[in-house]
Amino acid sequence: MSVARPELALRHLSLAVTGHRHNNPALEANLGQVEAVLHGIFDRIAYLLEQSADTLAPVRLHNLLAEGVDQITARLALEKGWQVIAPLPFGKALNAAINAQPVTLEDAQALLEGRDAADAEVARRAARLREMTEAAHCFALAERDDEIAALYLDTLASPGNFAIRRALEMQINDRVTLAGRVMIEQADLLIAVWDGKAANFPGGTGHTIKAALSSGTPVVLIDPACPDDWTIHTLPEEIGVHGEQRGHALDTLIEAVTGGSEANTPTPLETERWHRGSNPAWLLYRWIEKTFGSDGRSRTRLVNRYEQPDEIAEGSAAPMVLAARGVEGADSRQIETIVQTIMPQFAWSDGISSWLSDAYRSGMCLNFMLAAFAVIIGAAYLPLGLAEQKWIFASIELVLLLLIVGITLIGKRYNWHAHWFETRRVAEYLRHGPIMLLLGVFRPAGKWPRAEGREWPEQYSRHCLRSPGLPNIALTHAYLRTMTQGILLPHVEGQRDYHRAKAKRLRKVDHRLDRIAETLFVLAIISVSVYLLLKAGAVAGALPYAWPASVSMGLTFLGIAFPTLGASIAGIRFFADFERFAAISQVTAGKLDNIAQRINLLLQSSDAAITFGAVSELVHGLDEVVVEELENWQAVFSGKHISLPA
């Protein structure tokens, strides 16, 4: 029975918006023009998506819903049927209270309690923001609300106290900066309305623009003083110098995000056939690892059964799924989307990559061994005294040589090397992705690795991981603690232990193969030396003259067989690069252990210390380790295409 390939969720275009409030002089003076330009850009994006060859999900627009440009664009998005997603710097009540800008303690207290303010203008601003948050999907960084709300009320109670006000401003800037970072991580494109002045104010429009460009996210920049002359920027250094004029620049950006001409190009995940388990014909590499890397107690099976996409949620991923579902306040919609989309895609890509790995690496190892046996069998007639039957040995040698050529041609024809590389990249991105998503963390658009050749694995993985979106929750200390302790820490420790064991195993394989190759060369030296000693003794008259002649064929054969076999084993050792892979895994294990120690220390702290900023830093650290290990692994194997043994 065939296994159906899991369907990939519809592709999303993800936009982010930042801009001034209405009290900005340039925006206030040209508000109508700015709105018209924003409307025109949104219309152009909608048109380009309608013309796309790929079927797309509704656009996602991210912003902080602040009064001004944020709310203008949120309304435009809702009118177009787009999704509005708000990474809020605070919980909804505190966010409304701060953004409504009450001037009295009583009005602030009323807003925090969900009541209307006495001041009509303050009440209007709060009502408008509440309306927007109800229409949006909100990821609220609310775990520090109690602390910041108390400081906020103290500021209104003591309006002349500069120290309290300064402390509040720093806390607000920190939270807005964090929310802006979440927004940028989700975005393919940032649309910004900025007057080009202050760029160093944390959480401000200019600061957000610089952060987006630094992370590789393109920016459509609209100057409110001359909104019709908007430009597109891709580097921080372009600000204030130049930018690409509209023209086809926006079209090119949108086409790149939606896949363009490659959107419907089949990938190896679609063209490669699914196999239920390892092919017995391609197990030599696994056998080498098991035999020479074992400590004698290993129960590792040579023939593996690959976990099917519809089994993983109740199989290897069951502990994580159960832990996530058990977290109070978790977004069940996001969790189920992860279970139904990302996990099956991981199982599919992991199974295909594992099969390709076996075929490619075992194929190359077979080439080395067949080459050795071809030489050995071709010369085997010598010690057997079967010169008349040499044609039999030559025929077997020819068959082995043809097998080598056949394996090489098949490996190149089906592109085992490249497809293994590409599908393994997808599997590793998806392995760690769910943990990041549950904690509201994502790798920014411009920070994905750039690999030689096709970049579909990064685009495919990013698209797949994008589908669940941000969790629709209000973060709490309890949520962060439970997710960190129940999901993040076990994953980090599990990967650390895996790399430690792998490094130990590969070092053993490398050492033992090296010893075997050395031994075979020593035996070759002994074989040749024995013949020469016998010959010298016979010439000197110390030994019977017939002795060297009687053993010459056997010793000649051993002098051929031992170094040939030793060279093939050394070739396998060089090809597989066990030593360097052991070093890579050892370094990775050390980095993961450092992250595990930091997580444990954080979990020993009070709830107040377990903040989104602290946890997201650890998650980003894990992501960096994963990508670095993947890049190091590719650097070792990228040039080792399947070929004839040299």
Side-chain angles (χ1 to χ4, degrees):
M1 184 176 67
S2 62
V3 177
R5 183 175 66 89
E7 291 186 10
L8 188 63
L10 294 178
R11 192 181 296 267
H12 286 274
L13 171 66
S14 187
L15 303 175
V17 170
T18 186
H20 296 300
R21 295 174 180 266
H22 280 145
N23 58 6
N24 176 270
L27 179 61
E28 188 176 20
N30 298 289
L31 185 59
Q33 282 181 274
V34 171
E35 288 188 5
V37 167
L38 288 169
H39 205 295
I41 291 173
F42 280 23
D43 284 345
R44 182 61 184 170
I45 290 173
Y47 171 77
L48 293 171
L49 296 181
E50 288 173 2
Q51 303 305 307
S52 172
D54 200 7
T55 302
L56 303 173
V59 174
R60 287 176 175 167
L61 183 132
H62 299 76
N63 71 42
L64 277 56
L65 298 183
E67 186 266 343
V69 170
D70 284 3
Q71 292 186 9
I72 291 171
T73 53
R75 285 197 178 85
L76 288 175
L78 291 172
E79 288 172 4
K80 291 187 172 297
W82 295 355
Q83 298 175 357
V84 174
I85 301 176
L88 300 178
F90 318 98
K92 291 181 180 179
L94 179 58
N95 192 62
I98 290 176
N99 281 281
Q101 302 173 358
V103 294
T104 67
L105 181 62
E106 293 75 17
D107 276 353
Q109 188 69 57
L111 293 173
L112 288 172
E113 294 172 0
R115 296 181 286 109
D116 290 333
D119 185 304
E121 182 59 25
V122 170
R124 183 186 62 79
R125 285 195 291 264
R128 191 163 55 205
L129 183 54
R130 289 193 190 108
E131 177 190 351
M132 297 305 303
T133 54
E134 287 304 313
H137 171 115
C138 297
F139 176 59
L141 311 184
E143 82 279 9
R144 295 186 58 204
D145 276 12
D146 291 345
E147 173 191 351
I148 296 174
L151 188 59
Y152 178 53
L153 294 176
D154 287 345
T155 302
L156 290 173
S158 307
N161 191 320
F162 176 78
I164 295 177
R165 178 169 294 279
R166 179 59 180 158
L168 176 65
E169 289 175 354
M170 291 177 65
Q171 296 293 344
I172 290 175
N173 292 344
D174 176 67
R175 304 308 286 176
V176 173
T177 301
L178 274 176
R181 190 187 74 187
V182 172
M183 176 181 73
I184 291 168
E185 288 173 2
Q186 296 287 325
D188 297 309
L189 176 69
L190 175 68
I191 299 172
V193 178
W194 183 48
D195 59 13
K197 295 179 180 177
N200 59 351
F201 183 71
T205 300
H207 184 268
T208 303
I209 292 169
K210 289 291 182 72
L213 292 172
S214 297
S215 69
T217 303
V219 175
V220 171
L221 185 57
I222 303 168
D223 184 346
C226 46
D228 289 330
D229 296 326
W230 55 270
T231 52
I232 293 178
H233 301 263
T234 56
L235 298 171
E237 293 74 18
E238 290 177 348
I239 299 296
V241 180
H242 64 83
E244 192 169 0
Q245 295 297 321
R246 292 169 294 175
H248 296 292
L250 182 62
D251 301 30
T252 302
L253 278 176
I254 301 302
E255 182 180 358
V257 170
T258 57
S261 59
E262 292 190 2
N264 294 317
T265 303
T267 69
L269 290 178
E270 298 168 276
T271 58
E272 289 287 345
R273 187 167 65 88
W274 171 268
H275 302 266
R276 290 186 174 275
S278 307
N279 187 331
W282 306 121
L283 292 179
L284 180 57
Y285 180 86
R286 287 187 182 275
W287 180 85
I288 291 170
E289 268 205 28
K290 176 180 171 59
T291 302
F292 298 103
S294 171
D295 57 5
R297 298 186 301 272
S298 174
R299 296 182 179 179
T300 305
R301 293 183 301 175
L302 283 179
V303 179
N304 288 339
R305 178 185 178 276
Y306 304 142
E307 191 169 39
Q308 294 184 24
D310 59 355
E311 297 174 341
I312 186 170
E314 297 178 356
S316 62
M320 188 186 81
V321 174
L322 290 173
R325 286 171 173 165
V327 176
E328 184 178 356
D331 182 356
S332 59
R333 177 210 57 83
Q334 188 207 37
I335 294 171
E336 296 313 310
T337 304
I338 290 172
V339 168
Q340 294 167 16
T341 60
I342 295 176
M343 289 181 178
Q345 288 288 344
F346 164 69
W348 183 265
S349 57
D350 189 54
I352 287 178
S353 179
S354 296
W355 193 93
L356 288 167
S357 170
D358 285 348
Y360 160 67
R361 295 195 286 192
S362 292
M364 197 63 201
C365 290
L366 270 172
N367 276 356
F368 279 108
M369 295 310 299
L370 290 173
F373 288 134
V375 174
I376 292 169
I377 291 173
Y381 72 92
L382 293 172
L384 297 174
L386 299 174
E388 294 298 324
Q389 285 76 39
K390 179 181 177 181
W391 66 271
I392 298 175
F393 297 90
S395 298
I396 297 173
E397 180 181 3
L398 177 61
V399 169
L400 295 178
L401 293 174
L402 290 175
L403 278 174
I404 293 171
V405 173
I407 290 171
T408 304
L409 291 177
I410 291 171
K412 290 183 175 180
R413 169 68 177 82
Y414 291 100
N415 216 356
W416 286 343
H417 177 268
H419 287 183
W420 169 48
F421 258 45
E422 293 166 354
T423 54
R424 179 48 52 193
R425 276 149 58 191
V426 174
E428 293 309 310
Y429 295 140
L430 300 188
R431 184 194 305 277
H432 306 275
I435 292 138
M436 300 176 68
L437 295 172
L438 290 168
L439 288 161
V441 178
F442 202 74
R443 176 170 279 267
K447 296 297 184 180
W448 285 76
R450 295 287 187 268
E452 183 180 354
R454 288 169 46 173
E455 295 183 3
W456 75 262
E458 285 68 35
Q459 295 176 356
Y460 188 98
S461 304
R462 186 162 173 258
H463 160 44
C464 184
L465 291 170
R466 178 76 67 70
S467 58
L470 287 168
N472 188 17
I473 60 171
L475 281 182
T476 63
H477 291 298
Y479 178 93
L480 290 168
R481 178 183 287 278
T482 307
M483 283 288 186
T484 302
Q485 187 167 21
I487 294 179
L488 177 60
L489 180 59
H491 179 79
V492 172
E493 290 179 335
Q495 288 297 300
R496 176 201 62 193
D497 295 345
Y498 163 78
H499 280 288
R500 279 179 176 171
K502 180 180 177 182
K504 181 180 179 181
R505 183 176 68 254
L506 294 183
R507 279 196 297 268
K508 283 184 178 179
V509 175
D510 183 75
H511 175 69
R512 290 172 177 175
L513 289 182
D514 188 39
R515 291 293 299 274
I516 291 171
E518 288 178 353
T519 300
L520 288 168
F521 275 98
V522 169
L523 290 173
I525 292 171
I526 292 172
S527 300
V528 175
S529 299
V530 167
Y531 171 75
L532 292 175
L533 288 172
L534 289 174
K535 186 67 175 177
V539 171
L543 295 173
Y545 192 80
W547 281 16
S550 65
V551 298
S552 65
M553 290 301 182
L555 292 176
T556 299
F557 173 75
L558 293 178
I560 294 172
F562 285 142
T564 300
L565 193 56
S568 290
I569 291 173
I572 290 173
R573 178 172 169 261
F574 172 77
F575 159 75
D577 232 331
F578 298 108
E579 186 177 19
R580 268 204 286 181
F581 275 115
I584 290 171
S585 279
Q586 190 63 43
V587 170
T588 301
K591 292 177 180 178
L592 291 171
D593 188 53
N594 176 261
I595 294 175
Q597 291 179 33
R598 292 173 62 193
I599 293 172
N600 278 309
L601 289 172
L602 182 63
L603 291 172
Q604 293 169 23
S605 305
S606 65
D607 280 352
I610 303 179
T611 64
F612 176 73
V615 173
S616 63
E617 181 182 348
L618 292 169
V619 177
H620 276 297
L622 167 64
D623 185 44
E624 290 298 327
V625 171
V626 169
V627 171
E628 286 173 10
E629 192 268 338
L630 197 56
E631 289 178 329
N632 289 332
W633 166 76
Q634 289 187 123
V636 174
F637 253 123
S638 61
K640 297 186 177 184
H641 301 274
I642 192 165
S643 61
L644 298 174

